[in-house]
């Protein structure tokens, strides 16, 4: 069931969860993160307030964060162990349950736009690797050289991880994946997520972000969800779909369902967070890390932007 309301909309975005602590996070990353979130919220809000679609709004918000080198998606993505950048993204339309996703993309500037093209212009849901980039070229989606995605800070982070004796991921690291969920004036909802994955990933590893049902899900009958964090745990819980199912089938609120799933994630050893909007217009988030870059804009309140857990 969707509830159209001609003046009502909500947009929630994230720029990743992780070890960000007040006074420890460098000032440039605090201010830069807030500015990036604000720009993304503004882009999505402009669409929603003009009676645009939730789908257009989440794509627009995520594109801004992909182009911002501070976030781990598109430009500024983390490096694989081999020193490459491989981007993953997914988008889902809650009105139709149409979905599109890509993994291991290397030469497409905005992976989220490619995911949307897979949804709208192919008979498939999920394309990977060189084939996905080839689909982008065949559909005139903007290309970028692999070097365009690279930043010195991400290179430094890779070197730090490779220098560790065990080469292990740091469970307290900053993640930085980006995502957006929205409900528009027609009561339709959508979700989008984009990421470079985990620093030092190997063997073609793909996380939860592009997996429909794990890191991204939207269903007008319930809610839209975008996740960030230690992807393997989100995959095992089918976390985004599980939140949607609880709201749809068990009548839980988005707060109850999100808090419960983040609790279960933590019990298993996972870290991260979710953003959620429900078809009735409410929005929110839950996370078990010290911080999560996040923001919310609605038809009737000034935009809210936060990083730390005490905000
Ligand atoms: N969830 C992403 C992944 O596992 C990482 C992140 O959120 O930063 O690929």
């Amino acid at each position: 069931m969707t509830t159209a309301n001609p003046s009502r909309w909500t947009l929630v975005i994230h720029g990743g969860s992780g070890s960000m602590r007040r006074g420890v996070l460098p000032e440039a990353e605090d201010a830069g993160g807030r500015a990036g979130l604000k720009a993304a919220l503004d882009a999505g809000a402009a669409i929603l307030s003009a009676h645009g679609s939730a789908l257009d709004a989440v794509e627009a918000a995520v594109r801004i964060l992909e182009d911002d080198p501070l976030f781990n998606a598109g430009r500024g993505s983390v490096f694989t162990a081999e020193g490459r950048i491989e981007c993953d993204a997914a988008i889902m339309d809650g009105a139709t349950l149409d979905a599109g996703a890509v993994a291991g993309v290397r030469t497409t500037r905005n992976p989220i736009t490619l995911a949307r093209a897979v949804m709208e212009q192919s008979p498939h849901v999920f394309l990977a690797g060189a084939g996905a980039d080839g689909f982008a070229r065949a559909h005139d989606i903007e290309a970028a050289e692999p070097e365009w995605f690279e930043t010195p800070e991400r290179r430094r982070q890779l070197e730090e991880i490779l220098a560790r004796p065990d080469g292990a991921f740091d469970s307290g690291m900053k993640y930085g994946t980006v995502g957006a969920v929205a409900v528009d004036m027609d009561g339709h909802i959508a979700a989008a997520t984009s990421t470079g994955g985990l620093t030092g990933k190997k063997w073609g590893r793909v996380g939860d972000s592009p997996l429909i049902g794990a890191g991204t899900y939207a269903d007008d009958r319930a809610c839209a969800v975008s996740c960030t964090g230690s992807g393997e745990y989100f995959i095992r819980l089918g976390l985004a779909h599980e939140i949607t199912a609880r709201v749809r089938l068990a009548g839980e609120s988005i707060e109850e369902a999100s808090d419960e799933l983040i609790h279960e994630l933590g019990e298993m050893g996972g870290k991260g967070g979710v953003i959620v909007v429900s078809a009735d217009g409410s929005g929110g988030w839950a996370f078990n890390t010290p911080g999560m870059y996040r923001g919310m804009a609605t038809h009737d309140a000034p935009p809210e932007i936060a990083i730390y857990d005490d905000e």
Side-chain angles (χ1 to χ4, degrees):
M1 186 186 74
T2 60
T3 333
N5 186 324
S7 58
R8 195 173 167 164
W9 54 268
T10 301
L11 171 68
V12 186
I13 62 173
H14 72 76
S17 60
S19 57
M20 300 80 81
R21 289 178 205 277
R22 191 187 295 282
V24 177
L25 186 72
E27 177 53 30
E29 287 182 41
D30 180 303
R34 289 178 200 270
L37 291 168
K38 175 77 167 51
L41 275 183
D42 286 349
I47 291 169
L48 292 165
S49 60
H51 207 146
S53 72
L55 202 57
D56 286 345
V58 295
E59 182 192 357
V62 166
R63 281 177 62 100
I64 299 244
L65 296 170
E66 285 179 337
D67 283 348
D68 188 331
L70 199 78
F71 298 98
N72 172 21
R75 186 162 188 233
S77 285
V78 299
F79 284 90
T80 67
E82 299 81 19
R84 294 152 55 111
I85 286 181
E86 297 175 354
C87 298
D88 307 331
I91 193 162
M92 185 159 186
D93 179 356
T96 55
L97 303 186
D98 283 338
V102 291
V105 166
R106 300 197 60 225
T107 60
T108 300
R109 173 172 169 161
N110 291 109
I112 198 65
T113 295
L114 175 52
R116 182 162 179 182
V118 171
M119 174 172 85
E120 293 177 338
Q121 299 175 49
S122 90
H124 308 301
V125 168
F126 200 171
L127 301 182
D133 280 316
F135 179 87
R137 296 301 80 76
H139 290 78
D140 290 330
I141 293 168
E142 190 178 352
E145 294 300 319
E147 297 72 36
W148 187 83
F149 297 92
E150 301 178 4
T151 60
E153 173 59 10
R154 296 303 188 195
R155 175 91 50 199
R156 190 197 62 71
Q157 289 170 359
L158 174 65
E159 279 158 13
E160 192 179 301
I161 281 195
L162 293 181
R164 283 191 197 138
D166 56 358
F169 297 120
D170 177 358
S171 59
M173 69 192 288
K174 286 173 269 177
Y175 292 103
T177 290
V178 308
V181 291
V183 53
D184 61 33
M185 287 186 199
D186 294 323
H188 296 311
I189 64 177
T193 312
S194 184
T195 190
L198 298 182
T199 305
K201 65 186 183 182
K202 297 183 198 168
W203 307 306
R205 180 265 184 194
V206 177
D208 60 309
S209 308
L211 294 184
I212 300 302
T216 307
Y217 204 75
D219 183 339
D220 271 13
R221 297 170 295 178
C223 57
V225 183
S226 171
C227 304
T228 172
S230 39
E232 281 68 14
Y233 296 91
F234 287 78
I235 295 172
R236 290 163 59 200
L237 282 168
L239 196 139
H241 184 270
E242 172 90 6
I243 289 178
T244 308
R246 281 172 175 262
V247 170
R248 180 161 76 91
L249 303 172
E252 291 183 16
S253 67
I254 57 170
E255 291 78 17
E256 286 168 333
S258 305
D259 287 347
E260 174 56 27
L261 263 295
I262 291 300
H263 174 73
E264 286 184 26
L265 181 87
E267 295 273 287
M268 290 168 69
K271 287 195 166 78
V274 293
I275 52 170
V276 189
V277 295
S278 69
D280 69 10
S282 52
W285 42 65
F287 55 98
N288 66 1
T289 43
M292 179 163 83
Y293 288 103
R294 59 199 189 277
M296 175 151 61
T298 69
H299 60 281
D300 64 350
E304 181 186 344
I305 287 167
I307 301 176
Y308 311 109
D309 58 2
D310 59 4
E311 296 185 71

